[in-house]
Amino acid sequence: AVESSKIGNNQLTAFMGKWPEEEQQEFRLHMRIITDFISESEEQQLHEEIEPYMSRLRYEFDHWDDAIHGFRETERKKWFPHNREVLERVRQVAFDGAIMPYIHILDLAADGVIKPHVDSTRYCGTTISGISLLSDSVMRLVRTDAQRYQQHQQSTTNAKETESKDADTDAAYRHQPKEASLENKFYADLLLPRRSLYIMSHTARYNFTHEILAKEHSQFQGTPVPKTRRISIICRNEP
């Protein structure tokens, strides 16, 4: 495994717009990519464990949660021992302490898209870390208005008095900004190679929306990045 900083951040991270120097330094610390975190055989073993269940689910393209299209997802607590060892490596590398017991599995179809969003602070803590299976992809992080997000969290809390519990839970899980325009904003594109691990923590996790670019927009520094079906194995810590 090779961490992005050791092979040159500019090879995996492209900074766009006018970044304040301090924010860019913090971003480099809090948004990390480790290439070849798992081997080809480990990728195959992870895929073989989850595929029998995932293949029975339908991809959702018309979901009322507009943050994501062309996906199916589940959570898994019990893993085969060899895959549990991989997840333990994630914990050791990405987290200062324990991870949440249920691991999130997000299966994105080749023509699926994850729109800009910030994961709710009510359901995960300071760090989100994911292994990329089956495909390369490009993740974009755009600086967002942290104060607006905090206000949204307060309004979501109040709104649950009039909404069903299930709807409130799902709606609060992924917060989307009202304006997704890149105008007058600074952002970063990150190349996530197949079998890599990304670690998004602290300011990168709270102050930036993140998204996976759709296949028609999937390019890195002008070079197309073909995106096929992508599965991410996502670990989080407690809020």
Side-chain angles (χ1 to χ4, degrees):
V2 182
E3 190 161 347
S4 61
S5 60
K6 296 179 181 177
I7 64 173
N9 254 344
N10 59 346
Q11 293 187 19
L12 296 176
T13 305
F15 291 99
M16 308 292 187
K18 295 182 179 180
W19 280 73
E21 182 177 353
E22 183 177 349
E23 288 223 31
Q24 189 174 121
Q25 290 176 352
E26 285 187 341
F27 187 91
R28 291 182 184 275
L29 290 174
H30 297 157
M31 186 69 217
R32 299 155 53 200
I33 303 169
I34 302 176
T35 59
D36 296 316
F37 183 77
I38 58 173
S39 65
E40 290 185 19
S41 61
E42 288 173 328
E43 178 187 38
Q44 182 178 351
Q45 289 172 338
L46 284 164
H47 188 212
E48 287 176 347
E49 177 165 356
I50 63 180
E51 183 65 13
Y53 178 79
M54 299 305 293
S55 63
R56 296 198 297 267
L57 304 178
R58 289 186 176 183
Y59 285 111
E60 298 185 54
F61 286 91
D62 193 24
H63 197 254
W64 60 268
D65 178 0
D66 192 49
I68 184 169
H69 294 275
F71 75 104
R72 48 193 181 186
E73 62 184 340
T74 188
E75 291 185 327
R76 192 176 189 92
K77 185 176 183 180
K78 295 182 179 180
W79 295 81
F80 296 149
H82 50 266
N83 289 333
R84 174 53 63 184
E85 291 176 5
V86 172
L87 296 173
E88 173 59 19
R89 291 210 319 262
V90 175
R91 187 196 67 79
Q92 292 174 357
V93 168
F95 295 88
D96 182 17
I99 60 176
M100 297 175 70
Y102 285 91
I103 308 302
H104 185 197
I105 302 168
L106 180 57
D107 183 344
L108 194 66
D111 51 354
V113 59
I114 301 176
K115 296 182 179 181
H117 69 280
V118 178
D119 289 342
S120 172
T121 55
R122 294 168 58 190
Y123 298 98
C124 53
T126 59
T127 303
I128 302 167
S129 186
I131 304 173
S132 297
L133 307 184
L134 306 184
S135 177
D136 298 342
S137 62
V138 178
M139 177 183 280
R140 175 170 290 169
L141 284 88
V142 181
R143 185 67 161 87
T144 191
D145 186 338
Q147 184 176 4
R148 179 187 300 174
Y149 173 58
Q150 292 167 359
Q151 290 172 348
H152 173 88
Q153 291 302 310
Q154 182 63 43
S155 66
T156 301
T157 302
N158 295 337
K160 68 180 179 180
E161 296 177 1
T162 58
E163 296 177 355
S164 72
K165 181 178 180 180
D166 289 343
D168 176 67
T169 298
D170 289 340
Y173 196 82
R174 299 182 180 97
H175 160 61
Q176 288 184 270
K178 293 181 179 179
E179 298 178 0
S181 171
L182 298 177
E183 186 177 357
N184 299 323
K185 293 183 180 179
F186 53 89
Y187 62 99
D189 284 348
L190 293 97
L191 178 60
L192 301 183
R194 181 177 180 175
R195 294 186 292 277
S196 67
L197 177 77
Y198 72 81
I199 305 168
M200 180 169 54
S201 63
H202 301 293
T203 56
R205 178 258 187 275
Y206 292 115
N207 295 346
F208 292 78
T209 61
H210 62 277
E211 62 191 290
I212 296 293
L213 299 186
K215 66 178 183 179
E216 60 268 25
H217 302 298
S218 185
Q219 61 175 7
F220 183 74
Q221 294 185 323
T223 301
V225 178
K227 185 184 82 66
T228 60
R229 177 190 178 197
R230 174 182 183 266
I231 299 176
S232 47
I233 311 293
I234 304 169
C235 300
R236 300 178 168 92
N237 56 0
E238 296 283 354

